[in-house]
Structures are given as C-alpha cells and as structure tokens.
Amino acid sequence: MRLGIVGYGNLGRGVESAIAQNSDMELVAVFTRRAPEDLKINSKAAKVLHISELENWKNKIDVLILCGGSAKDLPTQTPECARLFNVIDSFDTHARIPEHFENVDKAAKEGNNVAIISVGWDPGLFSLNRLYAGAILPEGNDYTFWGRGVSQGHSDAIRRIEGVKNAKQYTVPVEKALTSVKNCENPTLTTREKHTRECYVVLEDGADAKRVEQEIVNMPNYFADYDTTVHFISEEELLEKHSGIPHGGFVIRTGKTGFNKEHNHVIEYSLKLDSNPEFTSSVLVAYARAAYRLSQEGQSGCKTVFDIAPAYLSPKSNEELRKTML
Amino acid sequence: MRLGIVGYGNLGRGVESAIAQNSDMELVAVFTRRAPEDLKINSKAAKVLHISELENWKNKIDVLILCGGSAKDLPTQTPECARLFNVIDSFDTHARIPEHFENVDKAAKEGNNVAIISVGWDPGLFSLNRLYAGAILPEGNDYTFWGRGVSQGHSDAIRRIEGVKNAKQYTVPVEKALTSVKNCENPTLTTREKHTRECYVVLEDGADAKRVEQEIVNMPNYFADYDTTVHFISEEELLEKHSGIPHGGFVIRTGKTGFNKEHNHVIEYSLKLDSNPEFTSSVLVAYARAAYRLSQEGQSGCKTVFDIAPAYLSPKSNEELRKTML
C-alpha cells in the first residue's frame, strides 16, 4: 500500500512513524506548502514535494493522509484531494462534520475514490464507543471526560495574552465526577463539575502576574466556566516538565436492563496517551488500510468510522482474525 | 423487525427483556424444547411454541436469536436454523469458532440468510477491542482479565463434587497484575498471577469440609493453577448474597509509537455487569438489527462482529449518527 502525507507538522510526523510500524505500507511522498528542500523527514525512501505537485502523483499513491488543521486546511483540502485520491482526514470540528461530509462525499464520488473523515480518537475511537455502547444499552447515560492532557487550543489562548511568553494547559477530569459516573449514580454534571484546567505559564520579563492570572481565569468560553489554577514557572521548567503532548480520556455509558430495570451495567473505554499526535496518527494509518481495501472492492464516497467494518483495519486475514482474536 | 427466540433459559429471558427496550423490534415467538404450555413468558403479544414448529415461521420472523448452549445446542442448531432464518448466536467455544463458522456459512448461503455468530462480550465486544487496539498499535501487548464475576462452568464443577449441595465461584483479576499492565510494564503473567478464584460452597449434611476443599483447590484445569479460596456458608447466605450473575472484565493493549518507540499508550476497555446474561442478550439484540439490515441489502452468509460496520447496530440513521455521535 503506497501512502502519501499532506502536511508535515506533529500529525504528519506521527503518520510517518506509524507507517514505519506497518510492514504492508510504504510512505512514498510527503507534500508540503513549505519549500521542500527545507524539510527534513525521517524516511529515506520517501520524496518531499511541494503541494502543487500533488496532481502528478494521482496513480502512484493508494491513499493520501491529510494532516492539516480542521479550521483552515481540511474544509477545502479534503474535497480537493478526494477528487484525485483515496483520502483520510482527522477533521474534528464536531459541529461542522455534516457539512464537511457532504462536500467530501460529492468530490469522492466524482473521483471514484474512498474518503474517510474525522478519524482519530475524538472524533474517532470515542465516537465508536459511544455508538456501540448506546446501541447495546438503549436505556442509559453517556459521559465523556477528556484528560489528563494538553489542550493546544487552550494553551494557544493563554499564549495570546499580553505578557505571556509561553504556556501549556492541561485539561483534567474531576475524580469525584468520574467516580460518581462509574458507580451508576447517573449524575447531571455542569461543565465545572466535569473538568478542571491547570495552566503552566512563563511570563515575559516585567509582566504583571496578577493581571495575567485574572485574564486567564476569566476568559470566556476557554476558562470562565471552569475551576482553573495558574502556575507561573520558568521557561526551563516548562521545557523540562511540560514539553510533551500527552492526552487521553474516558467514554463511559451506564445503563439498565431487566424487566424491572433492576440491573446496572458500566461500559468504559479509556485512553492514556503519551503523545496525542502520534496516537491519532496511528488511528489514521489503520483507517488508510481500510480505505485502500474498500477502494479495491470498488466502493467510493465519504465514510466515517461508523461505516467501516472493524476487519478492514487489521493486516490479518478474516480467517486469521476469527482464529486468533475472536 | 420481527424477532424470535430459540431457548428460554437465562439468555432467552434476557433477550426477551432487551427486545422490550428497542422500539423498532417486536418479539413474535419463543421456541422451546419443553412443553410450551409449561413456559411462562413476560411478553403478552408473543407466542410460545414447540421447537418443532420452527419451519412454519419461515416468513414470519426476520431474525431468530439462538439462546442455546455452545457445547451441545449451537453446533447443530445454528446451521439448521440459518437455512431458514437470519440468525444470531453467542457461540463461545473459542477454539471451535473456525469450524462453526464454516458450517454456518454454508447453511446461511444455501438459505440466502445472514448469520452472525459468537456475539456477546467475549467473544464479542472484547474481541472487537482486541482487533481495534491491535490494528492501531501494531507494536504492543494484549491483556484480557475477566471478573470479578461468576463463572458458571467453575460453579458447576464444584457442584459435581460429592458432599456439595450448592456453590458459586467468582473469577477475580489480581489487582497487582492489572496495575502493572496499566503502567506499561508489559509483564509476562502466569495463569496464577492473573486471576484468583473465590468459591462459596454449601455442604450436604455431614459432608467432610476438609476433603471438599482439597478436591476443589486441586481440581485440574479448573482450580489447580490458581490461588483458590473456599468459603463454606449456609444455603440461606448463598441465596441472599450470591444469587446474582454479575461479570465483567478488562481488555487492555499497551503499545509504543515514535521513531524511537519513546511514547507509551494504553487502550483500555472494561465492563462491569450486574447481569451477565442480560448484558450478553443486549449485545445479541443489537446485532440482530444488523443482521436484518444486511439481509435487506441482499447479503448472505456467516459473519462475526469483525465484519459488521458499527452503524448497522444503531437504530439511528447515518445522518443522525454523524450529527450526534461522531
């Protein structure tokens, strides 16, 4: 399976390393908007090309993995690429998924290609678990907790404050809320009761810590609805202790069965990830295998993780899967 | 969707109550080997019929849910029924799945029906999680722990000992092993290190407790390889505290990513079930929906949970799923 990567940030690099873990896959090219000669990649066999050359690779790449951002890149890039290639993206603006799906579906059908959108862990694996659990326990409640992990959006928001040199924000699930959910107490939880926010901030010389802290904790949408703690630290400490991009979370459904709803059940799915982009990339790569196979079967159009039978993700044959994994 | 049940033990009763939770489904008949007039079911609208009448219901039932046992019933019952109906079973003898699959596939194709076998939580949901996690993290280790829960097979084995009036056996994961796995220590665990076995035993009048205990803890295959504790209790206490059929467990995969394998990830799926048969039944019923839809699409043959795209399980439309669950 010949794969291409569009965009070489954290996610693109993650995809590159994930491909190296799968012996049925080969990275043939990385496409970038930067000057290709400025970009150092790890895979010796793969080419680095300017994104304008994409079209020339139409029949030399089986699946293209799009590693751009959901805000500005993917809404146009995924449909454009789906006209030429089978594609995978990690579009994660939940509210705009239906619109993105329609655009990509039209383009993929025109190009007779398979596109799988919104692949990753949320949307992605967490969505799958919400679907499975909800179908199995129709009478119950869903809970999703994120963290402990780094929110890039919240870290960026802090960095935009005057006087802030650098910052990292962790989203942390509230232990008490998690325990209550797991005990089948079916709590109704406010935003504040579900997660706290921990900020590690490096100030510019002479910046007013008190003012920065107030700007953070009162920032609408990002922090005002949460219990937020702000820690001012040195740049050295930030680099030493907070340079990773860990994340994770929990999808929990509790539900009742029995003629008198007398039995409780808890279905819990959780992730604990040292590297959010590398894990997301690993999911993208598994779904690239599925896109390739579906395309080989003659399918086309836009799909999501909901539409893909699990067996398509594995390098093992169906016989082998039944024998060893069922 | 018109459903039928074959066999009315714990699982059959569970399926009956699960169907009542799904408004797009209707139970039309329960088939039994017993005298139908002796069987009291909860659903007023459904008929109770002798299993010999099955053939007459060929076009009146969309999916038949087979609730017999894996040792004696399903190996012949599932192929026989798959010639006439779309069917679901919970065949759980892992080693014999490939053979069962072949037999059912042949029959289902002859009858132009869809059969989904080995549905439940293990095999079933646990298998799905092993597949997904393994495809996403190719370099890693899988761990499955069962419990805390009642093992019917082990309880039965104790009941067969002379001098035992009644007994219940719980399989319990070893906390230390679970912790080590979750901490990415990738331990190699012996049978004894993974689970312990707790037995609650009611003796016949005058039975020799010492002898019974020795027979239990030294029983090959069932107990000899485990740390087993035996508690002798009164029949009243057994009924009061140990009459439920709870179960559950954990599927955990830990794996590494990155060019230097420098990042660890933990994917964990767990179930905590008050009623093993009712939960298994709920899974069977969700897959009955999938079998019906696949059959409507013109598909036939034997499938497993690996072959079913998740969307087929949910009563929601694809648009609704993308909008609300992705």
Side-chain angles (χ1 to χ4, degrees), chain B residues 41 62 75-76 104 111 117 126 136 160 223 245 249 263 282 284 317:
Chain B
I41 69 167
D62 296 312
T76 53
V104 175
I117 61 160
F126 275 18
I136 290 160
R160 285 192 295 263
F223 294 100
I245 319 176
H263 293 125
S282 299
L284 290 172
S317 72

Side-chain angles (χ1 to χ4, degrees), chain A residues 8 13-14 16-18 20-22 42-43 94 97-98 101-102 117-118 122-132 134-139 142 182-183 253 256-259 261-276 278-279 282-283 286-287 289 302 304-315 318-319 321-326, chain B residues 8 13-14 16-18 20-22 42-43 94 97-98 101-102 117-118 122-132 134-139 142 182-183 253 256-259 261-276 278-279 282-283 286-287 289 302 304-315 318-319 321-326:
Chain A
Y8 197 72
R13 272 194 300 278
E16 186 188 12
S17 73
Q21 289 190 308
N22 288 281
N42 284 271
S43 313
H94 290 261
I97 287 174
F101 181 91
E102 294 306 326
I117 61 161
S118 301
D122 196 0
L125 302 178
F126 274 18
S127 323
L128 278 179
N129 277 280
R130 286 188 282 261
L131 192 165
Y132 277 116
I136 290 160
L137 296 174
E139 298 182 32
D142 277 322
K182 292 185 192 185
N183 288 341
R253 184 167 179 90
K256 289 176 182 297
T257 65
F259 289 108
K261 320 278 171 237
E262 65 272 37
H263 294 125
N264 283 306
H265 306 280
V266 184
I267 304 178
E268 180 180 335
Y269 183 78
S270 72
L271 297 173
K272 198 164 154 250
L273 314 173
D274 273 2
S275 165
N276 184 357
E278 285 181 9
F279 186 81
S282 299
V283 184
Y287 276 93
R289 182 179 287 121
C302 190
T304 74
V305 295
F306 296 158
D307 307 309
I308 312 294
Y312 284 102
L313 303 184
S314 172
N318 288 344
E319 291 72 23
L321 287 176
R322 285 193 294 270
K323 205 174 162 180
T324 61
M325 293 221 152
L326 199 61
Chain B
Y8 197 71
R13 273 194 299 276
E16 185 188 12
S17 73
Q21 289 191 308
N22 288 282
N42 283 273
S43 313
H94 291 261
I97 287 174
F101 181 92
E102 293 307 324
I117 61 160
S118 302
D122 196 1
L125 302 177
F126 275 18
S127 323
L128 279 177
N129 277 281
R130 286 187 283 262
L131 191 164
Y132 277 116
I136 290 160
L137 296 175
E139 297 182 33
D142 277 321
K182 291 186 193 184
N183 287 342
R253 185 168 178 89
K256 289 176 183 299
T257 65
F259 289 107
K261 320 281 171 234
E262 65 273 36
H263 293 125
N264 283 306
H265 306 280
V266 185
I267 304 178
E268 179 181 335
Y269 183 77
S270 73
L271 297 173
K272 200 166 153 248
L273 314 172
D274 272 2
S275 165
N276 184 357
E278 284 180 9
F279 185 81
S282 299
V283 184
Y287 276 93
R289 180 180 290 120
C302 189
T304 74
V305 295
F306 295 158
D307 307 310
I308 311 294
Y312 284 102
L313 303 183
S314 171
N318 288 344
E319 290 72 23
L321 286 176
R322 284 193 294 270
K323 205 173 163 181
T324 62
M325 292 221 155
L326 200 58

Side-chain angles (χ1 to χ4, degrees), chain A residues 4-312:
Chain A
I5 292 172
V6 177
Y8 197 72
N10 283 332
L11 198 59
R13 272 194 300 278
V15 168
E16 186 188 12
S17 73
I19 291 171
Q21 289 190 308
N22 288 281
S23 60
D24 58 341
M25 298 177 176
E26 169 195 12
L27 177 64
V28 296
V30 173
F31 298 91
T32 177
R33 274 186 299 231
R34 295 180 256 175
E37 57 276 19
D38 293 350
L39 208 125
K40 292 269 168 290
I41 70 167
N42 284 271
S43 313
K44 290 185 185 72
K47 290 201 156 57
V48 180
L49 300 160
H50 191 259
I51 196 164
S52 58
E53 295 197 50
L54 250 181
E55 222 159 318
N56 308 325
W57 286 74
K58 185 169 160 38
N59 295 310
K60 297 175 212 157
I61 287 173
D62 295 313
V63 186
L64 203 57
I65 303 183
L66 307 176
C67 299
S70 296
K72 293 178 184 167
D73 303 321
L74 301 175
T76 54
Q77 213 173 57
T78 311
E80 277 169 25
C81 293
R83 270 192 197 87
L84 301 167
F85 299 92
N86 298 312
V87 298
I88 305 290
D89 82 17
S90 63
F91 185 79
D92 66 358
T93 314
H94 290 261
R96 296 188 59 194
I97 287 174
E99 173 192 347
H100 188 57
F101 181 91
E102 294 306 326
N103 295 338
V104 176
D105 191 48
K106 191 164 172 288
K109 280 178 178 155
E110 282 169 18
N112 199 28
N113 291 310
V114 170
I116 312 181
I117 61 161
S118 301
V119 174
W121 58 275
D122 196 0
L125 302 178
F126 274 18
S127 323
L128 278 179
N129 277 280
R130 286 188 282 261
L131 192 165
Y132 277 116
I136 290 160
L137 296 174
E139 298 182 32
N141 290 298
D142 277 322
Y143 297 89
T144 302
F145 292 88
W146 295 274
R148 187 176 194 262
V150 172
S151 165
Q152 301 285 13
H154 288 80
S155 302
D156 290 344
I158 299 172
R159 283 188 212 109
R160 285 191 296 263
I161 293 173
E162 202 192 310
V164 171
K165 192 172 180 192
N166 205 345
K168 209 82 178 238
Q169 193 269 182
Y170 296 90
T171 307
V172 186
V174 175
E175 203 57 50
K176 194 180 142 193
L178 257 178
T179 304
S180 170
V181 166
K182 292 185 192 185
N183 288 341
C184 296
E185 292 166 10
N186 294 302
T188 304
L189 298 164
T190 63
T191 298
R192 192 176 298 274
E193 287 166 334
K194 285 186 74 185
H195 298 94
T196 57
R197 298 200 174 276
E198 281 176 22
C199 312
Y200 294 85
V201 181
V202 181
L203 290 174
E204 302 273 13
D205 281 348
D208 177 353
K210 202 78 214 160
R211 189 222 0 117
V212 169
E213 180 170 358
Q214 287 306 307
E215 280 198 42
I216 295 173
V217 302
N218 295 317
M219 197 186 295
N221 302 319
Y222 286 87
F223 294 101
D225 298 334
Y226 298 84
D227 289 337
T228 302
T229 51
V230 181
H231 307 271
F232 293 104
I233 60 175
S234 68
E235 185 134 46
E236 295 69 39
E237 190 179 342
L238 190 82
L239 289 174
E240 194 192 316
K241 297 187 186 161
H242 304 284
S243 61
I245 320 175
H247 219 313
F250 303 79
V251 173
I252 303 172
R253 184 167 179 90
T254 57
K256 289 176 182 297
T257 65
F259 289 108
N260 303 308
K261 320 278 171 237
E262 65 272 37
H263 294 125
N264 283 306
H265 306 280
V266 184
I267 304 178
E268 180 180 335
Y269 183 78
S270 72
L271 297 173
K272 198 164 154 250
L273 314 173
D274 273 2
S275 165
N276 184 357
E278 285 181 9
F279 186 81
T280 301
S281 302
S282 299
V283 184
L284 291 172
V285 164
Y287 276 93
R289 182 179 287 121
Y292 175 66
R293 290 174 172 176
L294 289 167
S295 171
Q296 295 283 96
E297 287 180 7
Q299 296 207 38
S300 69
C302 190
K303 320 266 177 198
T304 74
V305 295
F306 296 158
D307 307 309
I308 312 294
Y312 284 102

